[in-house]
């Protein structure tokens, strides 16, 4: 005899829990991440309720409070999660219409999004891939600025290089009157 239809799908215990699959924790991407980035992923996963993927918000300040870290260091852990392809941004932070800042909305790659299957991009991550090591190109060095000694006239005083004697350097000599 099976279960009654009205009881199917209901949990007796209403407490929420966090589930990490073994296949995910054994992946090379998970093993390569720092422990702090793993903790941050767990904090993000606790905000997932089964239907809000793509709308998960967690600011740097809030994450720092939850993990007992300085808020200035949180950016590198969010970047590490993105680099290892566990999360991606659905919408980046910006100023809202009233001038109030809006935090980034995150997508968990492990969960489905709008009825589409989960991408699980972190399973194809390999250390050393070009996608994993993106760097900004270095700017070309600018030529050095000219020094005062380079722009001073040859007969200038060493104590005051901007002094110019009248008629010797810049002024043209006058023609003699006839």
């Amino acid at each position: 005899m099976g279960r009654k239809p009205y009881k199917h799908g209901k949990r007796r215990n209403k407490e929420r829990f966090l589930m990490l699959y073994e296949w995910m924790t054994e992946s090379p991407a998970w093993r390569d991440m720092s422990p702090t980035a793993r903790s941050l992923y767990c904090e993000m996963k606790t905000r997932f309720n089964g239907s809000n993927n793509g709308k998960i918000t967690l600011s740097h300040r809030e994450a720092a409070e939850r993990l007992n870290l300085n808020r200035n260091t949180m950016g590198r852990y969010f970047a590490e999660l993105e680099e290892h392809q566990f999360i991606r941004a659905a919408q980046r932070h910006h100023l809202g219409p009233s001038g109030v800042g809006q935090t980034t909305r995150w997508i968990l790659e492990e969960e489905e999004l709008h009825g589409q299957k989960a991408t699980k991009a972190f399973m194809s991550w390999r250390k050393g891939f070009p996608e994993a090591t993106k760097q900004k190109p270095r700017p070309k060095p600018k030529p050095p600025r000219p020094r005062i000694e380079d722009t001073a006239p040859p007969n200038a005083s060493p104590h005051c290089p901007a002094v110019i004697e009248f008629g010797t350097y810049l002024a043209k000599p006058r023609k003699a009157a006839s």
Side-chain angles (χ1 to χ4, degrees):
M1 182 151 192
R3 290 185 172 196
K4 295 181 181 179
Y6 66 91
K7 293 262 185 184
H8 184 68
K10 291 186 179 182
R11 293 186 311 184
R12 292 181 187 177
N13 187 1
K14 298 288 182 181
E15 291 188 30
R16 296 184 59 193
F17 60 92
L18 174 66
M19 182 167 61
L20 298 175
Y21 294 103
E22 184 178 359
W23 54 264
M24 185 185 79
T25 59
E26 294 297 324
S27 69
W30 185 266
R31 292 287 180 191
D32 187 59
M33 280 196 311
S34 66
T36 309
R38 293 179 193 177
S39 299
L40 178 60
Y41 182 79
C42 292
E43 283 297 326
M44 292 184 80
K45 183 88 184 239
T46 57
R47 294 180 175 242
F48 177 67
N49 65 11
S51 63
N52 66 340
N53 199 11
K55 299 175 187 171
I56 299 170
T57 59
L58 183 62
S59 68
H60 288 207
R61 288 181 188 199
E62 207 171 353
E65 286 176 13
R66 299 287 298 244
L67 298 177
N68 275 343
L69 295 172
N70 188 336
R71 67 180 171 87
N72 296 334
T73 62
M74 292 310 300
R76 78 176 73 144
Y77 301 117
F78 277 100
E80 187 175 351
L81 281 172
E82 281 188 283
E83 178 184 310
H84 287 80
Q85 300 174 345
F86 280 93
I87 62 172
R88 72 182 146 98
Q91 182 180 21
R92 292 280 178 193
H93 57 276
H94 64 282
L95 286 179
S98 61
V100 177
Q102 303 293 316
T103 187
T104 304
R105 297 179 189 272
W106 298 103
I107 297 172
L108 299 177
E109 296 288 348
E110 176 191 2
E111 304 293 338
E112 68 177 32
L113 176 67
H114 305 303
Q116 298 174 355
K117 289 187 175 182
T119 60
K120 298 178 186 169
F122 55 87
M123 293 303 288
S124 62
W125 181 90
R126 296 287 178 259
K127 191 170 190 168
F129 269 11
E131 296 84 21
T133 57
K134 288 183 181 174
Q135 290 184 352
K136 295 180 180 177
R138 284 189 138 180
K140 293 181 181 177
K142 296 179 181 177
R145 295 179 63 184
R147 299 183 308 201
I148 294 177
E149 297 86 33
D150 297 339
T151 59
N155 60 353
S157 167
H159 300 290
C160 187
V163 174
I164 300 173
E165 293 179 22
F166 182 74
T168 58
Y169 185 68
L170 294 177
K172 293 181 182 177
R174 293 185 181 183
K175 292 183 181 178
S178 43

